[in-house]
Amino acid sequence: MLPFEHHYATLPAPLWIASEPTPVAEPSLIAFNRPLAKELGASDVPDDATLAQWLSGNTPMPGAEPKALGYAGHQFGNFVPQLGDGRALLLGEVIDQQGKRRDIQLKGSGRTPFSRGGDGRSPLGPVLREYLVSEFMAAVGIPTTRALAAVASGERVVRQMSEPGAVFTRVASSHVRVGTFQFAAARQDEVALKALADHVIARHYPEAANAEDPYLALLEAVVARQAVLIARWMSVGFIHGVMNTDNCSIAGETIDYGPCAFMEQFDPQKVYSSIDQGRRYAFANQPAIAQWNLARFAETLLPLMREEGDALVEQATDAIRHFEPLFSAEQRRLRADKLGLAMESAQADALMEALQSHMYQGRMDMTATFDALTHCAASPSDASREALLALTSQPEVLAEWLDTWQTEAVAATDTARLDAMRRANPIIIPRNHRVQEVIDAAYKGDFAPFHALLSVVTKPYDESTEARRLAAPASDNEQVLRTFCGT
């Protein structure tokens, strides 16, 4: 079905170890992303039963050569020199219709040499969450891994309780992480480190190869991509939940959707992850954590860079310092779009910071606020204004902000700017209570709610009645305050 290649296998051990999936009891296909399969160049897609066998790991997919990838990582600030794919296998790489190389990986396919005593399986809930959230992120244009398939295993997985199991098929630009570089560096294996860096340059940053110092250029390019990525996360209220260095993609994609969630009632210190007791990865902390992760990446590259001594450290430090202005520039651009301002507006930051203060003090839902603001810009009227003011517990204060905003906001006749505003403000996000409803139904064998939610979160600007129903914020008794990793 897919014309696999295996370029990563040219890198030295222990960056990868050949490993086979563990068959499951009774695989059945939950979802298969046919548009993505076509984008990847799939031909002769078989029937669902065959797909279930292939994408569960029960039957080898033609041309696949499964391997578990090694990596290390700082987990909540604590360094672990060996982690690796404990429940995932890279099947191979394909060249997609745009000529880009992309990885195909199984998650939940059984034990590997990196499993560290785990069972290598995944519960159904995290598989459905990653499918929904990653496909939403792709739909709003945020760099992300993609969901190709979800397969029920017909087996139980024990975590906090016994749950149905599943296997997820993920597509990524690559699965190289900051932790992959840390894995080679911790072994003081400069041969593997250089081979990995050269591989990443050739695959993701070919322009760096011609720089005076290719490895400094690599660092600068990764910093730039991460700065843009985190700004885009923040613009839609995404909270990753586990921003460990092993979950930080060198390709600049969102990867490893564990206990992730989207901001609902606005709170800069919001944490949903049940394992983030110290709030290390709270919403507002994400830019600083990304920069910290990049500093760990820079440390691994020092042996490869041309400068020496203090000059080397200063050079790397300067590259990391560039994160903040790059992040701020992208954030300012996104803020202008979200507020319906001209790109050159000097008021974007001040207006956004004031609105965020009002959202926090007034207990406002983030997505609903910007959706209502978009309607105010597109159809200025007392009704659209009142709809926005109805979202806050402090309407008098927000009304003053609205008066100031309206002097700067785009005119209702400027269709290009209104289109940009709508694209920056999705109507629907995968709300936590809706995702939980999907999971609860699936645990009872009903996947219709999953497919219904998937159909609307992949069309996040749709004004349909069903989209509006599923876009509604949670009531007090529907609130989901904690999400779980599922590993």
Side-chain angles (χ1 to χ4, degrees):
M1 181 181 75
L2 290 167
F4 283 119
E5 297 183 3
H6 304 282
H7 189 65
Y8 198 83
T10 65
L11 296 177
L15 292 173
W16 60 273
I17 300 174
S19 186
E20 293 295 326
T22 304
V24 300
E26 192 176 349
S28 59
L29 191 68
I30 299 168
F32 181 68
N33 192 336
R34 292 183 183 276
L36 178 58
K38 182 178 180 181
E39 183 182 315
L40 295 172
S43 59
D44 301 322
V45 175
D47 57 59
D48 287 1
T50 302
L51 284 173
Q53 291 293 326
W54 283 354
L55 299 174
S56 64
N58 273 24
T59 301
M61 187 180 293
E65 296 178 7
K67 54 187 68 67
L69 308 188
Y71 50 84
H74 276 88
Q75 299 196 308
F76 292 88
N78 301 306
F79 185 63
V80 182
Q82 180 169 305
L83 294 167
D85 286 335
R87 60 174 183 145
L89 290 171
L90 176 65
L91 298 180
E93 307 141 19
V94 298
I95 307 298
D96 70 14
Q97 301 282 37
Q98 286 74 46
K100 296 180 180 178
R101 185 177 296 271
R102 298 167 82 178
D103 286 358
I104 313 296
Q105 182 201 62
L106 297 183
K107 289 181 67 178
S109 53
R111 288 178 51 79
T112 80
F114 297 111
S115 291
R116 307 184 304 282
D119 61 12
R121 294 304 191 190
S122 176
L124 175 59
V127 167
L128 299 182
R129 178 179 288 110
E130 179 159 356
Y131 203 119
L132 290 163
V133 177
S134 62
E135 288 305 292
F136 166 80
M137 295 287 263
V140 295
I142 295 176
T144 179
T145 59
R146 297 290 304 276
L148 182 59
V151 175
S153 67
E155 297 178 346
R156 307 291 292 184
V157 175
V158 179
R159 295 294 182 263
Q160 285 84 8
M161 59 182 182
S162 175
E163 306 172 58
V167 181
F168 182 68
T169 307
R170 178 164 72 184
V171 177
S173 292
S174 79
H175 285 85
V176 178
R177 311 140 186 275
V178 169
T180 314
F181 280 83
Q182 291 180 299
F183 185 67
R187 285 162 172 71
Q188 299 182 332
D189 188 341
E190 196 165 321
V191 171
L193 184 64
K194 184 177 186 304
L196 178 63
D198 290 343
H199 168 85
V200 168
I201 288 172
R203 183 163 178 174
H204 298 298
Y205 305 99
E207 65 282 359
N210 298 319
E212 182 178 349
D213 185 340
Y215 306 109
L216 174 61
L218 170 61
L219 174 60
E220 292 170 339
V222 173
V223 167
R225 281 199 193 175
Q226 282 290 324
V228 169
L229 176 66
I230 305 305
R232 293 181 183 180
W233 284 6
M234 305 291 280
S235 75
V236 295
F238 178 70
I239 303 172
H240 185 281
V242 192
M243 288 180 66
N244 297 330
T245 57
D246 53 292
N247 295 336
C248 181
S249 165
I250 293 298
E253 291 182 333
T254 316
I255 194 169
D256 288 335
Y257 293 92
C260 63
F262 289 86
M263 182 81 74
E264 298 198 14
Q265 184 176 303
F266 187 80
D267 179 356
Q269 291 304 311
K270 188 63 181 176
V271 170
Y272 287 101
S273 170
S274 64
I275 58 178
D276 192 2
Q277 300 298 324
R279 309 180 83 84
R280 176 181 173 88
Y281 300 138
F283 175 73
N285 294 349
Q286 292 181 132
I289 288 296
Q291 191 173 29
W292 189 90
N293 288 345
L294 290 164
R296 308 289 76 76
F297 176 51
E299 290 167 354
T300 71
L301 293 179
L302 294 179
L304 304 180
M305 292 164 61
R306 290 189 176 182
E307 287 286 358
E308 296 181 354
D310 292 345
L312 171 62
V313 173
E314 185 60 30
Q315 193 177 58
T317 302
D318 281 346
I320 299 302
R321 288 190 185 119
H322 275 98
F323 177 92
E324 198 283 328
L326 292 167
F327 169 81
S328 295
E330 178 69 3
Q331 184 178 62
R332 192 173 301 112
R333 182 189 72 79
L334 292 165
R335 285 175 165 181
D337 281 350
K338 290 186 75 67
L339 293 172
L341 306 182
M343 289 300 299
E344 63 274 11
S345 173
Q347 301 302 313
D349 284 339
L351 279 169
M352 181 62 80
E353 287 163 11
L355 178 57
Q356 287 178 341
S357 177
H358 294 318
M359 286 195 293
Y360 177 63
Q361 297 295 334
R363 301 174 61 81
M364 298 175 73
D365 180 272
M366 180 177 177
T367 302
T369 296
F370 285 105
D371 177 38
L373 191 67
T374 303
H375 280 279
C376 281
S379 303
S381 65
D382 289 344
S384 61
R385 182 184 176 95
E386 289 305 313
L388 177 59
L389 294 176
L391 299 176
T392 179
S393 62
Q394 300 179 341
E396 299 85 0
V397 179
L398 184 61
E400 294 179 14
W401 179 90
L402 262 176
D403 292 338
T404 303
W405 168 75
Q406 285 177 323
T407 66
E408 294 283 335
V410 65
T413 55
D414 189 339
T415 56
R417 293 300 307 148
L418 287 172
D419 286 347
M421 188 179 186
R422 170 48 75 201
R423 288 194 303 272
N425 296 321
I427 292 168
I428 190 168
I429 58 173
R431 290 190 177 275
N432 307 322
H433 71 294
R434 295 301 185 195
V435 173
Q436 192 59 51
E437 286 174 358
V438 161
I439 292 170
D440 290 345
Y443 278 20
K444 298 174 183 176
D446 180 6
F447 291 99
F450 165 76
H451 289 288
L453 185 58
L454 179 64
S455 70
V456 295
V457 299
T458 51
K459 301 181 186 70
Y461 312 106
D462 184 11
E463 289 276 7
S464 71
T465 301
E466 179 68 356
R468 282 291 174 192
R469 182 183 74 81
L470 293 173
S475 63
D476 288 344
N477 64 349
E478 291 175 323
Q479 292 282 346
V480 174
L481 303 177
R482 287 289 178 268
T483 55
F484 299 87
C485 188
T487 54

